[in-house]
Amino acid sequence: MDVLTDLLDGVRARGALFSRTAMTSPWSLRFASGAPLTLATVLRGRAWLVPAEGDAVRVRPGDIALIRGSAPYTVADDPDTPPHTVIGRAGYCGMSDPAVAPDDGTVLLSGAYDNPGGVSERLLRALPPVLVIADTDCHSPVLALVAAELTRDSPGQQAVLDRLLDLLLISVLRGWFDRPGTAAPAWYRASEDPVVGHALRLLHDRPADPWTVAKLAAEAGVSRAALARRFTERIGEPPMTYLTGWRISLAADLLRGTDDTVGAIARRVGYANTFALSVAFKRLRRITPSEHRAAASGTREASTGGRSMED
């Protein structure tokens, strides 16, 4: 399995939120659903995306904007137009008929991953805060399917929309990664290297193996020194450092998306026991696995009489 496929394998929308709105200038919508990942596009007209931080970005018809993070953002006819409507989670349920907008009006469509488990943390960490893919770089037929499905009211519609949102996200990511000159993650650029790419696939396919640089080099067919040097040059960090980060990212997703015990998760990602995973997790994330799980579920960790649940 290649590294990108491995990351995309965790994309599973459940109860995705959608909004289709028709507007005439001046207009400005403030999106504040708290969703970890949102895709937005202009079906007709023009729009500007104003993120929580950074400069406004123009979104033309057919372009697809990807917004990472739960911070509110604004979509408007002009960056200086103040928001007149705030769209929270409940606001995504409402749809306006694009037919009511005049020819010079704008029709905005957006879909959000409301379930934190729908997109892996590994993928979110690989994305920039805002990404806009031009229609010429990612002309996906999925967009038309989403727009058409939103005009229906048929049994199973939510399941269809969930799968279409997944396909749309994958199309955007492929368009971004394949675009010349893109600032794609180092692991993606290095995947085509015959040595480093092979080593990456081994680490991703078998994270629980007792890897050492020597063992990884032997399976990649090069010397230990050659692998360490080449891997560090292409990825930006040594093989074992990358492996630790990969294991902790896997553990973070499992803690958020499953009810498995911390000990079971530790063994799945290559740690001997709960204590070993907790030490590595806290060193990288500054919180314990149980604290990460509690934060992800929106609940506080219950008191255990002075003892940590990691014990």
Side-chain angles (χ1 to χ4, degrees), residues 1-13 37 66 113 117-124 126-127 163 165-177 187-188 204 246 253:
M1 182 183 295
D2 65 81
V3 179
L4 180 58
T5 297
D6 197 9
L7 286 173
L8 295 178
D9 188 55
V11 175
R12 292 289 186 277
L37 190 66
L66 187 152
Y113 283 84
V119 184
S120 71
E121 181 176 314
R122 294 164 285 149
L123 178 57
L124 290 175
L127 298 174
R163 298 292 75 77
L165 183 60
D166 291 341
L167 290 173
L168 187 59
L169 174 60
I170 292 171
S171 297
V172 169
L173 294 177
R174 291 175 69 181
W176 177 48
F177 288 140
W187 51 258
Y188 182 78
H204 278 247
W246 173 237
D253 282 334

Side-chain angles (χ1 to χ4, degrees), residues 260-293:
D260 294 349
T261 66
V262 177
I265 290 172
R267 292 185 290 274
R268 284 183 63 178
V269 301
Y271 290 94
N273 50 45
T274 298
F275 178 76
L277 172 61
S278 297
V279 170
F281 201 100
K282 191 165 186 177
R283 186 176 71 250
L284 266 65
R285 302 295 179 90
R286 301 186 182 278
I287 60 173
T288 67
S290 291
E291 288 169 343
H292 171 82
R293 170 171 274 171

